Amino acid sequence: GLAAVQEYLARTPDRPRVKLQVRLRQLAQEMKSAEIRLHNERERDAAQSALITQVVIVCGTALALTFVGLAIFAIRRDYAGRARAEAELVQFFDVSLDLYVIASPDGYFKRMSRAVTPLLGYTVEEALRIPYMELVHPDDRARTANAVLAQVVHGDEVDQFVNRYRHKDGSWRTFSWRSVPRGRLMYASARDVTDAVRAEHEL
């Protein structure tokens, strides 16, 4: 009967069910230990990854801020240098007795010193609005156009080029020009030689 069977099983130490249960418990313990170990390793890896990420972010931010600071410093330094050079150029333009101009092949002066007023009677603003060929004497326009072409196309420098410019009062003033092309612009200076030319003609 059932009682005899139970008694028999209780007296048998090598019964299969007991061994199987023990093995299953061992396997479950091993799986749990392995799971705990893997979990700890993953937490360790995650902590290391987070630390590396934080270091990279901090170092990258510091490096970016350094570059931005250097760029701002360089820009401010360049701006200050440009402002200083511009101030010196303006002062040089304003105090010169000779006429200094920056001209373009489009037929207009882009910049002009204030000497234009005592030399030709125009203000700087007025002279910049007038095509420079309209100020040149009709008999000198062809030579002047060739001189402009030689600079713009061939890059030739012009030295002691003489032509006549119309004064605001209608008279003509004779200028001796020196001009150097840079890119599409011409940087030139002019000296009033009207009296010298008149004296030479009288002689």
Side-chain angles (χ1 to χ4, degrees), residues 132-181:
Y132 49 75
M133 281 298 180
E134 291 186 8
L135 298 173
V136 177
H137 193 284
D139 295 341
D140 298 337
R141 288 179 182 173
R143 291 189 306 108
T144 303
N146 289 335
V148 172
L149 189 65
Q151 294 179 80
V152 175
V153 176
H154 303 293
D156 297 340
E157 295 184 5
V158 172
D159 192 16
Q160 296 182 352
F161 177 81
V162 178
N163 63 1
R164 290 163 289 181
Y165 266 68
R166 186 182 72 245
H167 194 281
K168 191 173 183 179
D169 62 11
S171 62
W172 296 97
R173 308 297 295 179
T174 304
F175 288 153
S176 177
W177 291 88
R178 189 178 189 283
S179 182
V180 177

Side-chain angles (χ1 to χ4, degrees), residues 82-99:
R82 288 176 180 269
R84 184 168 57 253
E86 180 69 16
E88 292 174 354
L89 181 61
V90 169
Q91 184 178 9
F92 179 73
F93 262 57
D94 289 344
V95 302
S96 174
L97 298 178
D98 292 335
L99 179 63

